Amino acid sequence: MPSSLRRLFATILVFCEPSDVRGLWDKHFDAMSEDYRRNDPSNIVAEQKVLIDIRNMLQSMGKDIKSFPLPDIDEEFDNATGVEREIFEESVIEPNKEDINLADSLNTDQKAAYEKIMSVVHGDEGGVFFVDGPGGTGKTFLYRALLATIRGQKKIAVATATSGVAASIMPGGRTAHSRFKIPLSIDDGGYCTFTKQSGTAKLLQSASLIIWDEASMTKRQAVEALDNSMRDIMSRPDLPFGGKTVVFGGDFRQVLPVVRKGSRAQIIDASLRRSYLWDCMTHLKLKRNMRAHSDPWFAEYLLRIGDGKEKANADGDIRLPDEICVPCTGKKGSDLDKLIDNVFPSLGANMSDPNYITSRAILSTRNDCVDRVNLKMINRFQGQEMLYRSFDCAVDDPHNYYPPDFLNTLTPTGLPPHLLKLKINCPIILLRNIDPANGLCNGTRLVVRGFQRNVIDAEIVLGQHAGKRIFLPRIPLCPSDDEMFPFQFKRKQFPVRLSFAMTVNKAQGQTIPNAGIYFPEPVFSHGQLYVALSRSTARKNVKILVIPDGDNKKTCSDESKKKRRHVNTYTKNIVWKEILTS
């Protein structure tokens, strides 16, 4: 569709460093304007509408169309003239029909939180809240009710989340970093990068409510930067967030902020619980109704794991329920095949069903384990295959100390592999914020619908933008961690990875109805086991393969125990209780 081509054109301008922008425009204008020319044969009108569309897309990606050599825009053709783009985008979001009456369906805890927040919004007095509750207690349900009510009153509500996946679940959701322009590297006392006169500042000044979900997994410095900036733009330096009503949500049983090479103390210090804002917040707790839960025993078991109260053996390991374990025989390859068969039954007959593909995934702790599973899965997957090789280079390397063959062997965290093998209908996950306003966030899950030499045709399959078809080009990518290599590394590749499997940290915020868990080595950080096990709501839909280490491998493969239907399976559960009780 022409709209998809316009979005591809904007993406190429921002990310792909084209050498002849005007030539690209002239060559593809007819295709990009076909829908407008069908309704109005005037080339001038069509050109202006296409340019305005592309300008809006570029603005949502943080760029100005005036920085590119394109035809000038006549503002008379812009129906949003005089209104800041950010405010216009938020004001046109209509509440979903099914969300309008959600307030009448809230349980007791949700209703109390809803009324408390709405009373502050209506009083225009400002307040800061933290909605605390384990997965399945309806935090997202509460957010949707709040958003629908406020937007139904023609007021502005800003919905954000730390992760792209969590953001996509909320109507109008954006990642907090993209919405608030938070720097990727930030220290104490920092500010967001928007100015007082920017559209973002005017949006926040106009907002009646701001929601930030999964705040427990963001660094406190990011939240404090938003606080500093909002005190400034509201000219109320004495009030938290300048007197605005802000709702944070999260679960500190889950994984905490990532601090590269950080110690336990450093990770906890980076948590929101250690922020000066924590004591300013009104804490609203949501409890799980065990009697209404589809599997109350499993829900209680998960809470004991999350709270670190599950009984451990002499080695400090906890026992996993027999019915969720894939027995370990000591043959790593065949054991993994059994796990895959449990999570992806009848794969060949269901490959074209997006609901089947996206309702299941295998979780592991490290990227190399995830890559191993994804490689197995794509080899099992039938259909047309395409291999995409990256173009790698070391920046400022005139003597070729780092040849491409060496760089091809590297797969830094957050970057796609050098050799990307894709097949029609296979699931992929986006690794960069391409266009957050339209659902293309880091963490968005898609299904491949087609491919050409320099573009992937994909469909968003989860969240509010599900069903939208988009084109992804190759883009230059650099590792987010500058200290990873002694040189600056650039890889030009499609910004996606296969997502049959993903890391536990990446899965936080997602519901995965059929979850497999692959632990060739134990978890290594707070909350990882809890997050992995709690992605699905019932134990019948969870399967876990634990590979015992060292001495236990012999025990696992012992012939006498092979004959038993179940072998007790133990694994580590890391819980830093000081983050739960402080």
Side-chain angles (χ1 to χ4, degrees), residues 65-272:
I65 194 171
K66 293 178 182 178
S67 61
F68 301 98
L70 293 171
D72 294 331
I73 292 178
D74 185 344
E75 297 296 346
E76 290 183 7
F77 291 92
D78 188 1
N79 59 5
T81 297
V83 180
E84 296 291 341
R85 176 189 57 82
E86 291 85 352
I87 295 176
F88 178 76
E89 286 178 352
E90 290 291 337
S91 61
V92 297
I93 298 174
E94 292 291 336
N96 296 332
K97 290 181 180 179
E98 57 268 28
D99 287 357
I100 292 174
N101 298 317
L102 284 184
D104 298 329
S105 305
L106 301 174
N107 63 29
T108 304
D109 290 340
Q110 293 166 340
K111 191 72 173 177
Y114 173 87
E115 291 176 348
K116 180 72 174 174
I117 294 166
M118 289 303 303
S119 68
V120 172
V121 172
H122 289 147
D124 200 25
E125 58 197 71
V128 187
F129 299 88
F130 187 89
V131 180
D132 189 2
T137 50
K139 294 190 292 293
T140 303
F141 195 82
L142 170 63
Y143 305 148
R144 293 178 74 97
L146 290 166
L147 292 169
T149 300
I150 289 174
R151 287 169 177 164
Q153 297 170 355
K154 302 303 179 183
K155 297 177 180 178
I156 289 178
V158 176
T160 69
T162 301
S163 71
V165 174
S168 70
I169 297 172
M170 292 188 288
R174 294 273 295 272
T175 61
H177 274 78
S178 67
R179 169 53 77 204
F180 303 131
K181 306 294 187 291
I182 301 170
L184 291 177
S185 299
I186 191 166
D187 298 317
D188 290 341
Y191 283 77
C192 302
T193 59
F194 61 80
T195 65
K196 206 167 184 176
Q197 293 75 37
S198 65
T200 298
K202 292 176 182 177
L203 170 67
L204 297 178
Q205 289 168 343
S206 306
S208 297
L209 175 68
I210 297 168
I211 294 176
W212 187 335
D213 193 17
E214 299 290 354
S216 54
M217 64 185 295
T218 197
K219 292 180 180 177
R220 62 172 175 80
Q221 289 89 346
V223 177
E224 290 168 1
L226 177 62
D227 175 50
N228 292 336
S229 294
M230 291 196 65
R231 290 178 194 242
D232 179 38
I233 66 172
M234 298 301 297
S235 300
R236 302 180 74 178
D238 55 325
L239 292 177
F241 298 94
K244 284 291 178 182
T245 302
V246 185
V247 175
F248 294 95
D251 179 7
F252 287 96
R253 298 172 186 84
Q254 301 189 37
V255 294
L256 299 174
V258 175
V259 178
R260 182 162 173 76
K261 298 181 181 178
S263 65
R264 174 171 176 167
Q266 288 172 320
I267 294 172
I268 290 174
D269 181 64
S271 164
L272 182 58

Side-chain angles (χ1 to χ4, degrees), residues 426-446:
C426 74
I428 54 176
I429 190 167
L430 197 60
L431 301 177
R432 282 291 186 274
N433 287 332
I434 301 294
D435 187 2
N438 291 284
L440 295 181
C441 297
N442 185 355
T444 299
R445 293 180 73 186
L446 311 101

Side-chain angles (χ1 to χ4, degrees), residues 411-549:
T411 308
T413 301
L415 260 63
H418 161 63
L419 185 63
L420 183 63
K421 181 190 286 191
L422 300 178
K423 294 182 180 178
I424 299 294
N425 297 323
C426 74
I428 54 176
I429 190 167
L430 197 60
L431 301 177
R432 282 291 186 274
N433 287 332
I434 301 294
D435 187 2
N438 291 284
L440 295 181
C441 297
N442 185 355
T444 299
R445 293 180 73 186
L446 311 101
V447 165
V448 174
R449 293 304 188 203
F451 28 59
Q452 298 174 30
R453 182 180 175 187
N454 292 309
V455 72
I456 295 172
D457 176 6
E459 179 182 341
I460 299 175
V461 288
L462 293 175
Q464 58 181 313
H465 297 282
K468 183 182 289 185
R469 291 285 282 269
I470 55 96
F471 293 121
L472 289 172
R474 278 191 179 92
I475 67 174
L477 299 155
C478 296
S480 55
D481 185 356
D482 293 335
E483 300 177 2
M484 189 174 295
F485 301 112
F487 56 89
Q488 191 175 351
F489 174 48
K490 181 184 286 189
R491 168 164 290 169
K492 191 171 185 181
Q493 179 62 289
F494 295 97
V496 299
R497 276 176 175 263
L498 290 167
S499 66
F500 296 103
M502 65 184 77
T503 61
V504 172
N505 289 35
K506 199 77 169 177
Q508 182 162 327
Q510 297 194 46
T511 297
I512 303 173
N514 301 279
I517 303 166
Y518 175 49
F519 283 166
E521 54 192 41
V523 298
F524 57 85
S525 188
H526 167 86
Q528 285 184 318
L529 180 63
Y530 172 74
V531 170
L533 290 172
S534 61
R535 294 310 87 201
S536 184
T537 56
R539 62 186 133 167
K540 66 179 181 178
N541 296 328
V542 178
K543 290 296 177 184
I544 182 168
L545 171 62
V546 175
I547 309 294
D549 57 1

Side-chain angles (χ1 to χ4, degrees), residues 6-7 9-11 13-14 36 48-66 68 70 73 75 77-86 88-89 92 174 434-438:
R6 293 193 288 270
R7 191 166 306 284
F9 182 80
T11 304
L13 294 188
V14 174
Y36 289 132
Q48 288 298 311
K49 289 186 176 181
V50 170
L51 285 168
I52 289 167
D53 265 3
I54 290 171
R55 180 184 67 180
N56 294 339
M57 294 171 189
L58 291 173
Q59 285 178 340
S60 73
M61 299 178 197
K63 298 293 181 181
D64 186 346
I65 194 171
K66 293 178 182 178
F68 301 98
L70 293 171
I73 292 178
E75 297 296 346
F77 291 92
D78 188 1
N79 59 5
T81 297
V83 180
E84 296 291 341
R85 176 189 57 82
E86 291 85 352
F88 178 76
E89 286 178 352
V92 297
R174 294 273 295 272
I434 301 294
D435 187 2
N438 291 284

Side-chain angles (χ1 to χ4, degrees), residues 393-407 410 486-488:
C393 67
V395 181
D396 297 328
D397 181 26
H399 301 293
N400 199 30
Y401 292 132
Y402 306 101
D405 288 348
F406 163 69
L407 298 175
L410 306 176
F487 56 89
Q488 191 175 351

